[in-house]
């Protein structure tokens, strides 16, 4: 895998999404290899590791696949919305809808 340093060419959103997908695929491949190594080399045979011990890490990696927006910019509130002191909403519901 090559690491580009100082790319002067601006990438299109499609290229950025493709790069993101490639990164996640490579991360997943490396994580699976690490998990296999950890399970097979765990020194405590009385309390062996299993794939269940890696559930939370898997969830975190898989959450990278969700289309939450640009990876470069943190999620921010819409600048056009007024602050509560300016008559804006006091509460914004961010609870996701339940799974169907």
């Amino acid at each position: 895998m090559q690491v580009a340093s100082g790319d002067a060419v601006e990438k299109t959103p499609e290229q950025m999404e493709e790069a993101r997908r490639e990164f996640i695929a490579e991360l997943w491949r490396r994580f699976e290899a690490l998990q296999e190594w950890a399970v097979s080399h765990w020194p405590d045979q009385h309390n062996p590791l299993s794939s269940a011990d890696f559930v939370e890490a898997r969830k975190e990696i898989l959450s990278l696949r969700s289309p939450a927006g640009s990876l470069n910019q943190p999620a921010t509130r819409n600048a056009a919305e007024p602050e509560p002191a300016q008559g804006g909403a006091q509460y914004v519901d961010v609870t996701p809808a339940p799974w169907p």
Side-chain angles (χ1 to χ4, degrees):
M1 186 166 89
Q2 294 180 345
V3 178
S5 60
D7 283 344
V9 178
E10 192 69 28
K11 292 184 179 181
T12 67
E14 293 82 18
Q15 290 171 325
M16 291 177 67
E17 180 63 22
E18 181 61 28
R20 183 174 153 278
R21 288 178 189 272
E22 288 175 10
F23 173 83
I24 293 168
E26 179 69 13
L27 178 63
W28 186 260
R29 186 189 66 72
R30 289 179 183 213
F31 174 74
E32 288 291 315
L34 173 66
Q35 178 182 313
E36 289 175 25
W37 177 87
V39 169
S40 64
H41 289 83
W42 183 246
D44 185 358
Q45 296 302 316
H46 297 293
N47 299 306
L49 287 178
S50 72
S51 62
D53 294 312
F54 298 89
V55 169
E56 293 302 317
R58 257 187 253 116
K59 286 180 187 177
E60 290 295 323
I61 293 170
L62 291 174
S63 73
L64 294 174
R65 296 188 319 184
S66 66
S70 172
L71 296 176
N72 300 354
Q73 300 173 0
T76 58
R77 253 180 98 202
N78 187 351
E81 294 178 20
E83 291 292 321
Q86 300 165 338
Q90 294 287 320
Y91 173 77
V92 177
D93 185 11
V94 294
T95 307
W99 187 258

